[in-house]
Amino acid sequence: QVLLVQSGAEVKKPGASVKVSCKTSGYTFINSFIHWMRQAPGQGPEWLGMINPSGGWTSYSQKFQGRLTVTRDTSTTTVYLELSNLRSDDTAVYYCARDNYESGNDWFDPWGQGTLVTVSS
Amino acid sequence: DIQMTQSPSSLSASVGDRVTITCRASQTVGTHLNWYQQRPGQAPTLLIQGVSTLRSGVPSRFSGSGSGTDFTLTISSLQPEDFLTYYCQQSSGTPYTFGQGTKLEI
């Protein structure tokens, strides 16, 4: 089955960077976009950006332009999220998810298990 | 950005009740609307895609409807395992956005 397995929890200081990995399996890696979301406690998920693993094309939410980098390694079928210049309000659970597409509609299924990133001095 | 507003934010109900959750978009999203269910401490899971298509394995007591800006998720007869949090999500344009969630409580 399709599985997305993320790296473990991280604790970072303000101003630092964090890199989270998302190892995929169970499908052809280059055939599906991967999205990144985050969810702060008690909030709905927030979409950060996406990558086309086939060519590496990315699209980011304007909110994170300049701070967010999403990359992929086709040899290990892994996608990475790197967020720089961390602030306390970046504290959240970060999720990767596989894109599914039909008739112009994109949905996320499945999701990784989540990675807690805590930003604290 | 397209804002997604869910109502209510929380809902008290009983096993066997019929409940409806509403999701309103700040501009039309056509039929590019999906619903997710989330258990505490776990990732969201897809419930419904494209307004009304149930994910494989989702019980038929769940249904979705709507188009344009107004959408509903209905659970025809609540079961104990349904007392979770539900989110709508639009994919009409980036940034893709989610509602703030509706928590079903016993």
Side-chain angles (χ1 to χ4, degrees):
Chain A
Q1 80 275 30
V2 177
L3 276 178
L4 280 65
V5 179
Q6 299 182 219
S7 49
E10 302 265 11
V11 179
K12 297 291 183 181
K13 293 191 182 305
S17 297
V18 69
K19 192 169 186 176
V20 180
S21 68
C22 173
K23 166 68 176 171
T24 73
S25 62
Y27 71 100
T28 303
F29 180 64
I30 60 171
N31 285 354
S32 298
F33 283 43
I34 293 291
H35 298 263
W36 285 96
M37 276 69 66
R38 73 181 186 182
Q39 187 172 30
Q43 305 294 316
E46 178 180 27
W47 183 82
L48 305 180
M50 61 183 169
I51 187 167
N52 179 351
S54 177
W57 174 86
T58 56
S59 175
Y60 303 140
S61 170
Q62 188 71 22
K63 178 178 177 180
F64 301 98
Q65 287 281 357
R67 288 207 300 142
L68 176 65
T69 305
V70 177
T71 57
R72 93 292 188 215
D73 182 339
T74 55
S75 67
T76 60
T77 66
T78 301
V79 175
Y80 299 91
L81 169 147
E82 185 167 20
L83 190 62
S84 62
N85 194 19
L86 290 168
R87 307 184 290 253
S88 58
D89 62 358
D90 291 318
T91 294
V93 178
Y94 288 72
Y95 294 102
C96 60
R98 182 192 178 198
D99 180 83
N100 297 262
Y101 177 87
E102 182 178 292
S103 301
N105 182 41
D106 291 88
W107 65 94
F108 312 129
D109 181 39
W111 297 50
Q113 85 276 18
T115 297
L116 176 62
V117 174
T118 303
V119 183
S120 173
S121 55
Chain B
D1 298 1
I2 300 175
Q3 307 301 317
M4 306 300 291
T5 303
Q6 287 181 234
S7 59
S9 298
S10 63
L11 177 59
S12 293
S14 301
V15 172
D17 284 354
R18 177 185 179 90
V19 298
T20 297
I21 299 168
T22 297
C23 177
R24 175 163 289 174
S26 60
Q27 62 191 75
T28 183
V29 299
T31 58
H32 300 165
L33 191 285
N34 310 302
W35 291 95
Y36 299 84
Q37 179 187 68
Q38 187 173 31
R39 291 177 171 80
Q42 296 189 21
T45 58
L46 178 74
L47 203 60
I48 291 173
Q49 60 92 358
V51 176
S52 60
T53 301
L54 269 61
R55 185 186 191 273
S56 175
V58 172
S60 59
R61 63 180 179 272
F62 290 90
S63 64
S65 64
S67 68
T69 60
D70 294 306
F71 302 89
T72 59
L73 171 67
T74 299
I75 310 172
S76 61
S77 179
L78 276 171
Q79 298 303 301
E81 61 268 30
D82 301 336
F83 290 90
L84 300 171
T85 302
Y86 296 85
Y87 296 96
C88 60
Q89 171 250 325
Q90 67 80 20
S91 67
S92 178
T94 57
Y96 300 137
T97 47
F98 293 79
Q100 82 281 11
T102 296
K103 185 176 182 180
L104 292 188
E105 300 172 313
I106 297 177

